Amino acid sequence: MAEWTPKTRLGKMVFSGEVTTMSQALATKLPLREPEIVDALIPDLKDEVLDLNMVQRMTDSGRRVKFAVTCVVGNGDGFVGIGRAKGKEVGPTIRKAIDNAKLNVIEIKRGCGSWECACGSAHSLPFTVSGKSGSVEVTFKPAPRGIGLAVGDVAKSILHLAGVKDSWGFARGHTKTTVNYALAVFDALKRTSEIRVSETQEKALKIISGPAQIHQDVISAEDLQERGA
């Protein structure tokens, strides 16, 4: 953090301590252009390579080889991002894809939206969401606790890093195209943050946005105030 010299307005706000959480950073609506911002606000971020392809092209000087990498990052608690990159070497290209994924981080909503479950914890999705990319269209539905992630392998990796523990999943199209499948899943998760919900729905479906720990701390503080009253 000491070696990082912020160049953007949001970066300077994070560096000075004016913005202390990722939720606050996204709420500013300022463009996220420095991966160091995400490193500072989400220190426990994990990453995974979803797809790695070697692309060859014949030129007058010979055959040129490049690598196309798709990566996903997430903290397993409400934040997830997907990024892609191309390069001549595998290692630097993967690091570039991870940095691009950090710049695409979003905050998702979770809840207990299944009518079969009334556990009161945000383990699944609060409602049905759909996403599309290319020919691939995916739909995720809330599932009761204990079902797990009944989805494809690519979707399972993204949902796991996003913090969703239980969900039903349905997909149509050419799902073997990993990039489009991953982008469709990311598009569906993005819809959870775009859909507006009322306070009544939040309480009924136990909807939380972002890290669950923050909401637990808020609820505990409210309980203490009620007991004191």
Side-chain angles (χ1 to χ4, degrees), residues 115-194:
W115 61 271
E116 301 176 272
C117 184
C119 64
S121 62
H123 63 94
S124 184
L125 296 168
F127 32 70
T128 300
V129 289
S130 298
K132 187 176 182 180
S133 178
S135 66
V136 182
E137 185 175 354
V138 298
T139 301
F140 298 114
K141 295 183 178 181
R145 196 166 190 171
I147 290 295
L149 296 173
V151 297
D153 292 337
V154 174
K156 186 177 293 184
S157 298
I158 299 172
L159 291 176
H160 175 70
L161 287 176
V164 179
K165 299 178 181 178
D166 304 283
S167 177
W168 302 110
F170 307 90
R172 292 189 303 175
H174 202 271
T175 55
K176 290 185 178 180
T177 308
T178 305
V179 175
N180 280 344
Y181 190 13
L183 292 176
V185 175
F186 187 67
D187 184 47
L189 290 177
K190 192 184 296 183
R191 300 292 174 87
T192 65
S193 60
E194 295 174 350

